[in-house]
């Protein structure tokens, strides 16, 4: 029986490891969050609503074998608003050069969904506050949104685009929530501050010094729009445009994150039920990998969902934490043990039952870490918890300040853990 490999990750950091994961097993399930409200996704959420699909589109694009489809889904419109709108019109009309790489029958199939989302955007343009900003818009995001609006299901939209782009049927890409609604997360910091919105937590569009708390950030970086009565209420921090943000913003948060949680439009904590397919895939897996990337805003938003924690606890799979080589602004000064404790805390939150006892090795069985990593690893303490520690050298062909795993060594280490 082929190993069932499940990878929990965000969309960007783990893309560089996709080929490695494919070499470990032909049967792979990628579980991704739907709470990223930054970049061009923020415009789709603002105007059309629905789940954030940027991470899903990013992973789909990375897996596409056909260059024509890959180029189309990864294409972004101009940074200039007027030029972007003209470019979008050219694409919808089928005249843009981006279509040159697709067969005519594929082109017209894709165009039908882009025309569908175009019509939805035109309807929204009657209200000045929901006039779509086309600059830097991702064609892949708009296509996936158009398919979701047409078929009425995020899960079904992903399945359709996987088949359309000829990705192997052994590969599954699952949203952690199968929904047509928008879900946002907040972070409660140790000092009591609350930051609302994934992009605001990880990649704010202003230096972190301007984002002090939920109550003060509204007035400092709120981009005012005309408010109409027919627009549903949304927490003011979520009305702040995240179209222009920087992934290079790495200034540590003012205080460590104590808790990540989902919120409703009023900012109140909610505890959604996970997509049933994600729960079953974790339960049936032989190997589960918590991949590199943003621990707090990519991995934790998946694990805290109802049903995920119990599936992890009950799974007999090897559960491998692939530790980052560098800090990010969300995890500054955390040790490897703190990463493990955070994962265990998320599983406990998901289960939400004090009667259920949980051990560390029910969440993480193996820790793979980089030699000379920026993140400290106390092998003795972690081993005492029943977790096996495996060191992997970093890629020495790169600049010594760049902490990236040596892929060949990482592949060999992971192969020994595959059931």
């Amino acid at each position: 029986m082929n190993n069932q490999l499940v990878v929990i990750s965000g969309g960007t950091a783990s893309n560089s490891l996709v080929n490695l994961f494919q070499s470990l097993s032909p049967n792979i399930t990628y579980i991704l969050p739907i709470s990223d409200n930054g970049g061009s996704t923020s415009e789709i959420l603002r105007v059309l609503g629905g789940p954030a699909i940027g991470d899903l589109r990013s992973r789909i694009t990375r897996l596409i074998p056909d260059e024509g489809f890959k180029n189309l889904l990864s294409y972004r419109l101009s940074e200039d608003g007027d030029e972007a709108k003209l470019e979008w019109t050219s694409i919808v009309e089928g005249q843009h050069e981006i279509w040159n790489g697709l067969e005519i029958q594929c082109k017209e199939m894709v165009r039908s969904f882009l025309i569908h989302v175009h019509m939805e955007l035109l309807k929204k343009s009657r209200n000045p506050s929901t006039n779509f900003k086309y600059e830097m818009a991702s064609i892949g995001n708009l296509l996936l949104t158009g398919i979701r609006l047409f078929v009425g299901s995020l899960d079904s939209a992903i399945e359709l685009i996987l088949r359309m782009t000829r990705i192997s049927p052994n590969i599954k890409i699952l949203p952690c929530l199968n929904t047509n609604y928008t879900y946002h997360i907040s972070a409660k910091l140790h000092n009591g501050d609350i930051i609302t919105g994934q992009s605001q937590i990880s990649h704010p569009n202003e230096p972190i010094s301007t984002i002090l708390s939920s109550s003060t950030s509204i007035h400092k970086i709120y981009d005012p729009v005309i408010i109409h009565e027919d627009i549903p209420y949304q927490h003011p921090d979520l009305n702040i445009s995240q179209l222009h943000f920087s992934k290079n913003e790495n200034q540590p948060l003012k205080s460590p994150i104590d808790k990540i949680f989902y919120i409703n439009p009023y900012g109140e904590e909610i505890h959604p039920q996970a997509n049933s397919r994600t729960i079953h895939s974790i339960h049936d897996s032989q190997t589960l990998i918590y991949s590199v990337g943003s621990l707090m805003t990519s991995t934790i938003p998946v694990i805290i969902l109802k049903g995920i924690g119990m599936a992890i606890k009950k799974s007999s799979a090897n559960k491998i934490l692939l530790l980052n080589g560098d800090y990010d602004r969300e995890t500054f000064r955390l040790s490897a043990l703190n990463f493990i404790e955070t994962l265990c805390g998320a599983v406990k939150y998901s289960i939400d039952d004090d009667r259920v006892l949980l051990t560390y090795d029910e969440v993480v069985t193996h820790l793979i870490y980089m030699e000379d990593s920026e993140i400290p690893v106390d092998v003795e303490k972690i081993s005492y918890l029943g977790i096996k520690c495996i060191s992997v050298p970093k890629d020495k062909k790169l600049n010594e300040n760049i902490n990236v795993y040596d892929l060949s060594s990482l592949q060999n280490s992971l192969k020994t853990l595959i059931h």
Side-chain angles (χ1 to χ4, degrees), residues 279-286 288 290 307-319 347 351 356-359 361-365 419:
I279 295 172
H280 293 315
S281 67
I282 292 172
H283 184 270
D284 296 339
S285 65
Q286 279 83 51
L288 173 64
Y290 310 104
I308 296 292
M310 189 59 76
I312 290 173
K313 173 180 168 60
K314 289 184 175 180
S315 172
S316 59
N318 277 338
K319 303 158 192 174
V347 169
I351 296 173
V356 177
L357 300 178
L358 184 72
T359 60
D361 58 357
E362 288 179 310
V363 179
V364 179
T365 60
H419 282 338

Side-chain angles (χ1 to χ4, degrees), residues 175-212:
C176 63
L177 288 159
N178 182 25
T179 179
N180 283 314
Y181 297 98
T182 304
Y183 280 84
H184 289 287
I185 59 172
S186 284
K188 181 179 180 182
L189 307 187
H190 189 66
N191 66 2
D193 284 355
I194 293 177
I195 302 178
T196 299
Q198 177 174 326
S199 184
Q200 291 90 325
I201 298 167
S202 57
H203 307 299
N205 63 351
E206 292 284 342
I208 191 61
S209 59
T210 68
I211 304 179
L212 302 178

Side-chain angles (χ1 to χ4, degrees), residues 330-344:
E330 308 159 17
T331 56
F332 187 68
R333 292 182 179 171
L334 294 188
S335 66
L337 181 56
N338 295 144
F339 271 69
I340 295 169
E341 290 171 339
T342 300
L343 289 171
C344 291

Side-chain angles (χ1 to χ4, degrees), residues 169-308:
N170 293 324
I171 297 174
K172 294 182 175 62
I173 298 178
L174 302 182
C176 63
L177 288 159
N178 182 25
T179 179
N180 283 314
Y181 297 98
T182 304
Y183 280 84
H184 289 287
I185 59 172
S186 284
K188 181 179 180 182
L189 307 187
H190 189 66
N191 66 2
D193 284 355
I194 293 177
I195 302 178
T196 299
Q198 177 174 326
S199 184
Q200 291 90 325
I201 298 167
S202 57
H203 307 299
N205 63 351
E206 292 284 342
I208 191 61
S209 59
T210 68
I211 304 179
L212 302 178
S213 70
S214 187
S215 60
T216 59
S217 63
I218 298 169
H219 306 292
K220 289 181 176 287
I221 60 176
Y222 178 49
D223 181 15
V225 295
I226 302 171
I227 303 298
H228 291 259
E229 292 181 0
D230 59 342
I231 300 176
Y233 178 82
Q234 183 167 251
H235 188 285
D237 279 11
L238 299 175
N239 289 324
I240 302 165
S241 173
Q242 295 296 318
L243 178 59
H244 302 280
F245 72 99
S246 174
K247 288 197 174 185
N248 295 322
E249 174 59 59
N250 206 34
Q251 185 178 348
L253 294 169
K254 292 174 60 181
S255 181
I257 294 175
D258 274 354
K259 178 182 180 182
I260 294 288
F261 55 97
Y262 283 89
I263 58 168
N264 64 17
Y266 297 92
E268 299 167 329
E269 183 174 354
I270 58 174
H271 198 181
Q273 178 75 26
N275 181 353
S276 60
R277 294 179 67 200
T278 67
I279 295 172
H280 293 315
S281 67
I282 292 172
H283 184 270
D284 296 339
S285 65
Q286 279 83 51
T287 306
L288 173 64
I289 297 177
Y290 310 104
S291 190
V292 295
S294 301
L295 173 69
M296 298 295 187
T297 55
S298 292
T299 304
I300 298 303
V302 174
I303 297 174
I304 61 177
L305 293 168
K306 284 183 180 179
I308 296 292

